[in-house]
Amino acid sequence: MSNIFLIMFGAILTENFIFSRFYGCCPFLGVSDKPSTALGMGMAVTFVMTLSSAATYAVYYLLLEPFGLEYLKTIAFILVIASLVQFIEMFLKKYIPSLYSALGIYLPLITTNCAVLGAALVNIQDQNSFVESVVFGFSAALGFTMAITVFAGVRAKMQLSDPPKSFRGFPILLIAASLAAMAFSGFSGMKF
Amino acid sequence: MKYSIGKQFKEGIITNNPTFVQLLGMCPTLATTTSVINALGMGAAVTVVLMFSNLFISLVRKIVPKQIRIASYIVIISGFVTAVELIIKAFFPAIDASLGLFIPLIVVNCIILARAEAFASKNPPIPSMIDGISMGIGFTMALTCIAFVREFIGTGGILAAADGTGGLKILGSWYPGASIFLLPSGAFLTLGFIIALVQKISNTKAEKARLAKITAEDAERKEKAV
């Protein structure tokens, strides 16, 4: 049980996907312009990442490992994730239209979000059990959601500021992200 | 359109640099630039994948139906990524250890999918391959540039091996090293400042061109008046 807690704590704070592992920086810089869009993206990622952690675990240990095909894991995982995203999209469209209208536009973007594939590969590398894998996927996605939503708030404030001309747009964003990352690196002292 | 290799290289390396101008592939750019050797390793891996994936995607561009093209591109790309990953594991274990999961994650690197979609799916094989090489070199140079700044300020030397030994010690032992530059926040900071510099240069260029145009128009008007 304490192991599960450690995985959650690590994935959300000390090894935050964006600020310490750099997984999922593209959506982090791309869709964090409004807190509501950031939250939508975060929720979609959480949904997909939890399910894909379970699915990739099953594919790896039930299909690839018994046949000695571990080296095909990158190809297998990306296909699993791509088809899972497609499947979730169809399922939500048909059965939970309200959730589909909230998350729909973010779902296709998730296939190429490196956080999802990253979580699947970390699970294999750390030799997590099934429950640990799912917990890791879920909490890493929570950490992602937290980072992206908090940063969207920072960005909204930043629109009122007046940086030098060369720093407008992307550069000032990166510098703000640097300050946020500095705050998160404070958690890295909490080793267990 | 007249085809020219030189122009294509200039495009990939300078005018349309994938990292500094197109702002693609930020995850590996931020994560693997802690040392120049890491950056070169990552850049080389991406260049090889980009070259072969562009070549093969261009070869099959007329066979693959439009609806499933993205899925088939991803399969082609992940095939090459797996090959590169196995080669690096076998011959450069130190680089494999320090780059970690970022080698398999090349699959979801936006640069590769973006070039496949924007260039290789519309152009013949040889120009596509050259596009892959030039974009790869542009990416490698951008990575090396960031890594140079980070490693130099962070440790006072450059070109240290993946395990932190060797390399050129430029500043003497009096320099303690600003280790914040090796931490994640240093990555964001360095990239922010370098992109600001690039924007500054392009702004100045645009401004100069505008001024030159105005003076030329002025001269023309004066001539007409005379």
Side-chain angles (χ1 to χ4, degrees), chain B residues 54-111:
Chain B
N54 262 10
L55 174 67
F56 276 76
I57 286 167
S58 172
L59 284 173
V60 299
R61 73 187 190 282
K62 284 176 186 153
I63 313 167
V64 177
K66 237 188 156 47
Q67 294 83 356
I68 58 154
R69 67 181 194 288
I70 301 286
S72 43
Y73 295 167
I74 288 181
V75 175
I76 293 175
I77 294 167
S78 53
F80 286 112
V81 170
T82 306
V84 167
E85 188 190 355
L86 293 176
I87 292 171
I88 292 180
K89 268 210 169 79
F91 295 106
F92 309 100
I95 288 187
D96 176 64
S98 63
L99 292 182
L101 289 177
F102 280 94
I103 298 284
L105 284 178
I106 295 175
V107 176
V108 283
N109 190 324
C110 353
I111 295 175

Side-chain angles (χ1 to χ4, degrees), chain A residues 128-143:
Chain A
N128 287 341
S129 72
F130 181 74
V131 177
E132 285 168 348
S133 298
V134 175
V135 169
F136 179 78
F138 176 70
S139 40
L142 269 191

